[in-house]
């Protein structure tokens, strides 16, 4: 059976570049949308050229040129959008509505994977606090457009990227591990999920020709990477050979810290609250509407956090 042709939108982004590589590695004819908005960003231009050298096809297209989107979509079987949904970076979630329109008009796409890759928005959207709920509301708007258009889909709930949540022991900032003191949310015993980004990309590509994931959510919850914050800190301490001073932050104090922050940081604080105080990555059982990645694809040797953190324990 021929492997599906894949178009990656946002292929030079944080998770997008990994998805492009995973698609090529798994033998899919891979197309990357080349947007003129890239302008003079030489690093992204060079990345696109490196993809081309590895066998990817560059396809010109722009969200400001609807016909170019339709033409790009007509060339493939599967569309994966990896545009940023993080407010601390560029936030482009609703741009996907034009992509949904293009997919509907083209009429040939057998699977669309929109830009999600975090917590399952269907479970949190109605509960999320302001101002962070904007992220989940916008993703639900895109989901509704996909389903109203009867476009086949797979949603990817990848939970916590290791580079953002494990490398710094889940501190709000910076992204390096703390040297002496670590902030612990509540008692530090709420479970979260930490996933290495290339594993996210590998699992994502695995789904696209798999009938078991059609019109479902793929939850990436590798069992050995379901950890509390304290367990994560303990793993780092063991590797580093030193103990950090723990500063425990009550729920009330954590929420109170929002008042003096700018909008972007308030969004981040509210998301951290849902993860580390309410446990929204793990406080539910996966039902018939979803599948768990490591169960479906046991051949993937996912990165355990002990292995991942060896690189940050120096």
């Amino acid at each position: 059976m021929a492997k599906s042709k894949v178009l990656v939108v946002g292929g030079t982004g944080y998770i997008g570049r990994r998805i492009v590589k995973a698609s090529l590695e798994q033998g899919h004819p891979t197309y990357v949308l080349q947007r003129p908005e890239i302008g003079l960003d030489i690093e992204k231009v060079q990345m696109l050229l490196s993809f081309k050298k590895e066998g990817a096809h560059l396809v010109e297209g722009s969200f400001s040129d609807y016909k170019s989107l339709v033409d790009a979509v007509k060339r493939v079987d599967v569309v994966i959008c990896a545009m940023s949904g993080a407010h601390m970076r560029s936030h482009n979630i609703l741009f996907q509505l034009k992509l949904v329109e293009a997919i509907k008009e083209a009429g040939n796409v057998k699977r669309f994977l929109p830009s999600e890759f975090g917590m399952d928005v269907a479970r949190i959207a109605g509960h999320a606090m302001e101002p962070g709920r904007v992220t989940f509301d916008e993703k639900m708007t895109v989901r509704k457009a996909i389903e109203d258009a009867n476009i086949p889909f797979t949603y990817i709930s990848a939970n916590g990227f290791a580079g953002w949540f494990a490398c710094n022991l889940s501190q709000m900032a910076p992204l390096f591990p703390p040297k002496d003191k670590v902030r612990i949310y509540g008692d530090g015993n709420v479970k979260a999920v930490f996933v290495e980004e290339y594993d996210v990309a590998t699992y994502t590509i695995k789904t696209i020709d798999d009938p078991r994931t059609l019109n479902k959510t793929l939850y990436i919850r590798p069992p050995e990477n379901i950890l509390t914050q304290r367990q994560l800190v303990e793993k780092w301490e063991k590797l580093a050979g030193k103990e950090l001073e723990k500063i425990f932050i009550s729920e009330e104090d954590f929420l109170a810290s929002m008042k003096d922050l700018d909008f972007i940081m308030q969004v981040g604080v509210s998301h951290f609250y849902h993860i580390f105080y309410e446990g929204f990555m793990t406080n539910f059982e996966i039902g018939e509407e979803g599948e768990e990645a490591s169960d479906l694809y046991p051949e993937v040797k996912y990165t355990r956090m002990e292995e991942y953190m060896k690189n940050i324990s120096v």
Side-chain angles (χ1 to χ4, degrees):
M1 183 176 177
K3 295 206 171 189
S4 292
K5 293 179 287 186
V6 180
L7 173 67
V8 182
V9 180
T12 60
Y14 183 70
I15 194 64
R17 69 189 71 175
R18 294 165 169 86
I19 289 173
V20 172
K21 288 184 177 293
S23 180
L24 290 168
E25 288 170 359
Q26 294 182 40
H28 291 274
T30 303
Y31 297 74
V32 183
L33 194 70
Q34 178 184 335
R35 294 185 289 153
E37 292 90 343
I38 200 170
L40 299 178
D41 192 331
I42 187 63
E43 291 184 355
K44 289 188 176 181
V45 170
Q46 290 178 341
M47 191 183 306
L48 287 170
L49 294 176
S50 73
F51 292 155
K52 185 176 180 181
K53 186 176 180 180
E54 293 170 17
H57 307 276
L58 304 184
V59 183
E60 291 189 6
S62 172
F63 283 89
S64 60
D65 181 354
Y66 178 71
K67 183 179 182 301
S68 71
L69 282 183
V70 175
D71 290 343
V73 167
K74 284 182 176 179
R75 301 180 66 170
V76 300
D77 307 302
V78 173
V79 177
I80 302 175
C81 188
M83 298 176 70
S84 175
H87 279 81
M88 63 187 64
R89 301 166 71 87
S90 57
H91 182 79
N92 300 317
I93 291 300
L94 291 183
F95 277 33
Q96 293 180 101
L97 295 176
K98 292 185 178 180
L99 189 55
V100 171
E101 292 177 14
I103 291 170
K104 183 179 179 180
E105 180 172 330
N108 59 290
V109 169
K110 66 180 186 181
R111 192 88 63 109
F112 177 41
L113 285 68
S115 184
E116 295 214 357
F117 304 107
M119 289 182 282
D120 180 16
V121 298
R123 295 182 181 276
I124 194 173
H127 174 84
M129 69 170 63
E130 297 286 2
R133 71 175 298 157
V134 62
T135 302
F136 310 113
D137 288 346
E138 289 182 0
K139 289 181 178 180
M140 284 301 294
T141 297
V142 174
R143 282 195 181 194
K144 184 177 187 303
I146 292 168
E147 294 170 25
D148 286 351
N150 292 315
I151 295 170
F153 63 83
T154 297
Y155 302 138
I156 305 294
S157 176
N159 294 299
F161 288 165
W164 288 95
F165 291 99
C167 188
N168 63 351
L169 308 184
S170 301
Q171 306 302 282
M172 288 292 296
L175 293 178
F176 290 104
K179 295 184 181 300
D180 303 303
K181 301 177 182 180
V182 61
R183 289 162 53 94
I184 301 293
Y185 308 115
D187 62 8
N189 291 324
V190 173
K191 289 185 177 180
V193 185
F194 306 90
V195 188
E196 200 275 337
E197 289 82 347
Y198 281 105
D199 292 342
V200 172
T202 297
Y203 284 127
T204 296
I205 297 299
K206 286 276 187 181
T207 69
I208 63 178
D209 284 330
D210 188 345
R212 297 174 297 178
T213 59
L214 181 62
N215 295 334
K216 287 189 174 184
T217 298
L218 182 80
Y219 296 92
I220 306 179
R221 299 206 309 196
E224 292 189 41
N225 287 358
I226 300 174
L227 304 167
T228 68
Q229 188 192 10
R230 293 187 73 162
Q231 288 174 324
L232 188 73
V233 170
E234 288 167 5
K235 289 180 184 297
W236 186 89
E237 290 176 327
K238 183 176 180 180
L239 287 167
K242 63 181 298 184
E243 186 173 345
L244 298 176
E245 178 185 347
K246 312 315 188 278
I247 301 172
F248 293 89
I249 311 297
S250 70
E251 180 177 341
E252 294 77 13
D253 288 345
F254 187 78
L255 292 175
S257 71
M258 292 177 64
K259 69 180 189 309
D260 296 322
L261 301 175
D262 62 24
F263 175 80
I264 291 174
M265 287 302 296
Q266 286 186 7
V267 169
V269 167
S270 61
H271 290 182
F272 266 61
Y273 176 76
H274 294 309
I275 295 168
F276 293 107
Y277 288 91
E278 296 188 318
F280 258 85
M281 288 183 178
T282 60
N283 65 357
F284 62 92
E285 297 294 327
I286 296 172
E288 293 182 356
E289 79 287 351
E291 301 285 352
E292 200 285 307
S294 63
D295 284 343
L296 284 188
Y297 312 112
E299 70 276 10
V300 175
K301 305 303 180 186
Y302 66 85
T303 305
R304 277 65 172 172
M305 286 301 99
E306 291 90 339
E307 179 183 350
Y308 177 84
M309 296 174 74
K310 286 179 182 178
N311 295 323
I312 64 172
S313 62
V314 292

